[in-house]
Amino acid sequence: MDTRGSGILLHITSLPSRFGIGDMGPGAYAFADFLQSSGQGFWQVLPVNPTQMIHGNSPYSAISAFAGNTILISLEQMVSDGLLAEEDMGDVPDFPNDQVDYAGVTTYKQRVLETAARKFRSNTARRPDYDRFVSSSAHWLDDYARFLVLKGKFENAVWSDWPSEYRDRQPEAMRRTDKDFADSIESIRFQQFVFYSQWTTLREYCNSHGIRIIGDIPIYVNYDSPDVWTHPARFKLNESRKPVSVAGVPPDYFSETGQLWGNPVYNWKVMQENRYSWWVDRLAHNLFLFDLVRIDHFRGLVAFWEVPSGEKTAKNGKWMPVPTADFLDTLQSKFPELPVIAEDLGEITPDVYEIMDRYGFPGMKVLLFAFGDDPWKNPYAPHNHVPNSVVYTGTHDNNTVRGWFETEATKEDKGRLFNYIGRTVTAENVVWVYIDMAVRSVANWAIIPIQDILNLGADARMNRPSTAEGNWGWRLSPDALTRDVADRLRGITEETGRLAAVEQMQGR
C-alpha cells in the first residue's frame, strides 16, 4: 500500500455476454484491456462462490467458501478449449442484456455443463490437468460434491435434518454416497475444474497486463453449507448440530433492533486449538484466486456480536472476544505480506483500529458517507484520509453517486457538499466531482465503481441492503466502455500521480 494507484469495482456477473450473465469469456478480457488503456491497476470483484436463488443470488450468501460459481463459466472459452462443441450450446435463450436472469441462466448453463461433463469422460488430453486439480482440491472438493448430491437426495433439506449417518458423515454413508452418485460427483468436480482453469487463465492475463485483482471474503459462512457440515466443531453448535448462537450486529443509529444475519458464529477456542487451519486454508485458497482480499465485516475478527438462536432481533446479543493477535500472527507466519484490506465501515471501536494499525491493514474511506454531518469531523471527508487506506466513491451496497444526489441526498447534505468544494453542482456533473475527490485523496488506492465512471443513476445500483429481491442483477452495456471514457479516466489518473505505479506494473 505504499504506492499510489487506482482501479475499478465491477463484479463478474455485470460484464457483457450473450449468455444472460457476465462470465470469464471475451467480456472479461475486454474489460481487462479497458483497465489497462485507462491506466487502472486494480480490478475489484465481489465473492465468486456459488450463489443461491433462495438467498436472492447474493455473493455474500454462498453455499461454499471454496467452490467457484459455475454460472460464471464461459461457454465460448470451453469451445475454444475443446471441452464443448458449438452445437452443444443449442439455441441460446433470448436473455436480457441489462439484467441477469439468474433462473434462466442457471437452467440453461447447467444443462450445457452436464453435457460437457459427460463428453469429458472420454477426453484423455485434459485428464492429467483434471486429475491434478482434483487431487490438490480434495480437502474441499470431495465434500462439496457429496454435499450437493445429498441435498438432492434429501429434497433440499438442511444437512442437520438428514438421517444421522449422513448428518454425522459416518464412513459407510460417505462410501455409499460416492458409489451411488459417482457420475454426479464427477460432473461437479469437472465443473469446478473448468471454473478454476478459466479463472487462473483470466488472472494470469490481468497480471501480465499490470492489473491486480482484489477479491472479497465474507467473514461468515452459511449454516447450510459443506463448510459447517464438514467442520461442525469449529462452529457453535449443539448436540443436534444446530446453531447455539448466530451472528449479527447490535442496535445502532440506523437500526434500533440491530441486524440479525443468522450465520453460525465460530468456536474460536476450537479454531485456536487447531491453529486456525480452516482459516489458513481459506485464505490460501483466496490468495490463489486474487492478488489481495478485502475481509467483509473485519471488526468481527476482533470481537463479534453473538445472538442466542431463536431471537427475533439482534437486540439481546453480546460482544464476544476473539484471540485476534494469535490468529493474525498465525496467518502472518503463513502469509508474510498478508495482503488484506479491512472493511471497517459502520460503528468501529478503537480496539479494531489498533489491530489494523498493528498489522498495517488499510481501511476504507467511502465518499458517499462524507457529507451526512459536519465534514470537518467526518472520517470519510477527504481532508481526514490517511495514506494507508482505500478510497471509494461508493460500494456495491450504496446507491450510485448520481442516484444518491437525485434520490437520497437532503438539502443539508448538498449544502455541506457545495460548501466543501466551493461551488454548486448538478446531478449531471456531481459524479466527476466525487471521482476527482477520490483520486486526489492522499489515500494510496482509489477504487471507483464502474457505474460512477459511466455517470449512471439509481437504476444501476447493485444492491439494496435489507431487501431480499431485485439485487445483484445490473449489467454493463456492451458499448459503454468507449475510448473517450478510457481517455478521460486515464487523464485524471495521470494528473493525480496514480499512473506511474500502474505503468511500472505494466512494464512501461
Side-chain angles (χ1 to χ4, degrees), residues 129-141:
D129 294 337
Y130 172 76
D131 290 341
R132 279 192 293 272
F133 170 77
V134 170
S135 176
S136 64
S137 306
H139 67 99
W140 65 266
L141 180 60

Side-chain angles (χ1 to χ4, degrees), residues 41-92:
F42 300 97
W43 179 359
Q44 182 165 340
V45 299
L46 307 183
V48 294
N49 308 106
T51 56
Q52 300 171 277
M53 281 181 279
I54 193 173
H55 294 303
N57 307 297
S58 170
Y60 294 89
S61 187
I63 197 172
S64 168
F66 290 85
N69 191 347
T70 55
I71 61 174
L72 304 182
I73 288 174
S74 166
L75 302 183
E76 292 158 302
Q77 191 63 48
M78 290 185 71
V79 172
S80 298
D81 292 341
L83 297 175
L84 204 62
E86 284 281 355
E87 56 267 24
D88 293 330
M89 293 191 288
D91 294 327
V92 180

Side-chain angles (χ1 to χ4, degrees), residues 358-394:
R358 184 190 308 180
Y359 293 90
F361 298 147
M364 297 173 59
K365 305 297 182 184
V366 180
L367 291 177
L368 278 179
F369 299 157
F371 304 104
D373 54 17
D374 181 5
W376 181 248
K377 300 177 181 178
N378 190 308
Y380 302 108
H383 66 275
N384 287 322
H385 295 180
V386 296
N388 190 34
S389 61
V390 186
V391 59
Y392 297 78
T393 51

Side-chain angles (χ1 to χ4, degrees), residues 397-444:
D397 282 334
N398 300 125
N399 207 332
T400 66
V401 168
R402 182 168 186 158
W404 168 82
F405 192 89
E406 291 179 326
T407 66
E408 295 180 15
T410 65
K411 180 180 179 181
E412 291 74 21
D413 294 335
K414 293 178 181 179
R416 286 186 287 267
L417 169 63
F418 299 161
N419 288 337
Y420 192 85
I421 63 175
R423 68 186 191 279
T424 61
V425 293
T426 67
E428 184 62 36
N429 61 16
V430 66
V431 66
W432 280 95
V433 170
Y434 268 77
I435 293 173
D436 190 70
M437 281 193 289
V439 296
R440 293 186 191 281
S441 165
V442 298
N444 282 336

